Amino acid sequence: MGGSLARLALLCASSAALCAAIGAPAWAADKCSPEALGALKVPHLTVAAAKQMPAEGANPAYCDVTGAVATNGDGAGPNAANFEFKLPENWNRKFVFFGVGGLAGSLRPSANPRDTAAALTRGYATAITDTGHTGKGSFDPSWILEAPGKLNKAKVADYWYRSWHQVTAAAKRLIAGYYAAPRIERSYFDGCSYGGHMGFVEAMRYPDDYDGIVAGAPYIDNRTQIWGYKDTKALLDAPIPPELVAKLDDAVLASCDAADGVKDGLIQNPGKCAFDPHSLVPGTLSKAQADAFDLYLRASVDEHGHTVYPGSSVADLVSTDGPGGGFVGRVESAVPPADPHARQPWGDKPPGLWAAVVGFAQYFVIRDPDYDYLANWPQKGNRITEAALRKFDARSRIGQVDQPERLRRFLAAGKKMILYHGYADTAISPFRTVWFYEDLAKLTGGYARLRQQARLFMVPGMLHCFGGAGPNSFDTLDALDDWVARGKAPDAILASKFPDNKTDQPALRTMPLCAFPEQAKYSGSGEVKDAANWTCPPGDRSQLEVGPDGILAGLGSGRN
């Protein structure tokens, strides 16, 4: 019905007289306009612009709507969150809200690229918000403080949780009114990185908003910034230039690649690896460089040695085609530090992880934009002082979604969640998502029971949200919809690796992503880069196996 109504609206928009002659309802005439959308009287919503976009390529014609939702409540005061809604002519009676990344501040989605590309084609009405502020870049923290020491409480509340819940309510009202529909059949949230955090917030704080959630590489824990400082500082003190990174990656593959039963350039479970960077001293690395990479792999700990955040993955150190440029671009920077002791060692081109860490600490934690993080932050190696950890946690608690028990209401309502994380992610440790899922399994009675509601798919060789040497292109929106609408749970998700990540080219390889803790197994014959020769063995628990590198990272017996 929705598609017919939308086609009628397009007809009426081109000829109001014809619309009246065939007895079409008044709302159908020119309904993609600020005036018509404003007439729907959605509370707190203001339409700034509405434009009918023509069909192009695989996408249908759609109404592109921009504006703002006035936000308020939770003791934080008023603000406004900008939005963009896309309302397709072929509406399938479903709605998907896409998350944003970093410190937000834009209407650029941070979600599974396959999902964002396919949503309109499949007839989804879509929404996105900037979370209540505009930024100069992905990690612009300038909006956080009204003055040194004084948070902008309204914008901070909107960034951490409030805005997209209130934009969701407004979007649903407008969509139903636009299509003259009694209801939206299914509503989904789809995000990666901070967008994954947004999905967790929806499930934990507002479990009635969505029927299903896709959360990729989720920003679960603000202690990610403690881990990020550890990694960038280690490699600031002893940089490993790109040509040595390539040799280091070759050595990692020689040590770990065949552990999953086949040598194919992918490490299925980097937590099982037993690679020691000191084995490359002195031929490839100096002792200082080996010590730095060893520190990169280690979990962050407090003064008593208790693990506070897991370490990093050893997998795929050479790929640069993901956000931030992988290990070389995000952790080290392609530009060597001009002065390792300066407040900004890399000048105006720091690695992405450093920019995220420093901005977060200066504005959210210290609340002083002039704070010299490198000189003053009390963290040495992988160890942080208790006083610093307490202050860090106290001032960033509002943004934590690290308590699995808060998912109880969402899961108890029979709703579904798909999580995924690249095992070569250098922006958020993939082991943090593994931690969370393991804790959730303990809370809900084991993996078999948990997988009735929530499934995790770890992606070998994938960087942050996309990119990397592994099969990093896969469809989670369709998998979620099959699960929610048709009861078909995803035992495996087909993933592909395309040249230069261009999905219009023939795939270089395909393989199944398995529901954790299962791990993909090669059949032993046939083309190793063909998914037809791989399976996800039911009941397999291979991804729970932990080796020396996993123990360093805080997995298994290495976790306190």
Side-chain angles (χ1 to χ4, degrees), residues 60 115 131 153 265 363 414 420 424 543:
D115 296 352
T131 78
K153 291 184 179 179
Y363 284 79
Y420 65 90
Q543 289 199 64

Side-chain angles (χ1 to χ4, degrees), residues 1-2 5-6 27 31 37 40-42 45 47 63 65 83-88 91-97 123-128 167-188 210:
M1 182 178 70
L5 292 175
W27 59 262
K31 65 176 186 170
L37 293 166
L40 297 173
K41 298 187 183 303
V42 177
L45 182 146
V47 175
C63 180
V65 187
F83 67 77
E84 181 178 23
F85 303 155
K86 294 182 180 181
L87 312 177
W91 188 45
N92 63 5
R93 304 185 64 83
K94 299 172 186 177
F95 164 55
V96 59
F97 199 121
Y124 283 91
T126 73
I128 193 170
V167 174
T168 291
K172 287 181 175 181
R173 289 280 295 271
L174 185 135
I175 291 166
Y178 178 83
Y179 291 110
R183 65 187 180 90
I184 297 172
E185 288 186 354
R186 305 289 180 193
S187 296
Y188 303 130
Y210 291 97

Side-chain angles (χ1 to χ4, degrees), residues 75-139:
N79 191 33
N82 294 318
F83 67 77
E84 181 178 23
F85 303 155
K86 294 182 180 181
L87 312 177
E89 183 271 341
N90 63 332
W91 188 45
N92 63 5
R93 304 185 64 83
K94 299 172 186 177
F95 164 55
V96 59
F97 199 121
F98 291 120
V100 291
L103 290 176
S106 76
L107 297 175
R108 294 188 299 272
S110 180
N112 185 333
R114 282 279 288 273
D115 296 352
T116 58
L120 276 181
T121 302
R122 295 175 186 165
Y124 283 91
T126 73
I128 193 170
T129 181
D130 65 2
T131 78
H133 66 273
T134 56
K136 297 175 184 177
S138 298
F139 297 108

Side-chain angles (χ1 to χ4, degrees), residues 95 218 240 243 384 493 516:
F95 164 55
I240 303 175
E243 62 273 16
I384 185 171
I493 296 177
F516 190 93

Side-chain angles (χ1 to χ4, degrees), residues 532-550:
N533 300 314
W534 291 77
T535 60
C536 294
D540 178 67
R541 297 171 68 86
S542 294
Q543 289 199 64
L544 297 176
E545 296 175 3
V546 177
D549 290 343

Side-chain angles (χ1 to χ4, degrees), residues 310-370:
S312 300
S313 165
V314 74
D316 192 5
L317 303 173
V318 293
S319 292
T320 59
D321 58 343
F327 177 83
V328 172
R330 184 174 290 277
V331 183
E332 285 211 281
S333 176
V335 178
D339 180 358
H341 304 291
R343 181 177 165 186
Q344 291 292 349
W346 295 271
D348 61 356
K349 294 183 178 179
L353 203 53
W354 180 261
V357 165
V358 172
F360 186 94
Q362 287 176 326
Y363 284 79
F364 273 123
V365 180
I366 307 301
R367 301 179 186 175
D368 177 3
D370 295 322

Side-chain angles (χ1 to χ4, degrees), residues 407-431:
L407 283 178
R408 285 185 187 274
R409 278 203 300 154
F410 182 84
L411 300 179
K415 300 188 176 190
K416 312 300 183 188
M417 178 177 279
I418 290 177
L419 299 93
Y420 65 90
H421 206 138
Y423 259 142
D425 194 339
T426 54
I428 298 172
S429 173
F431 299 137

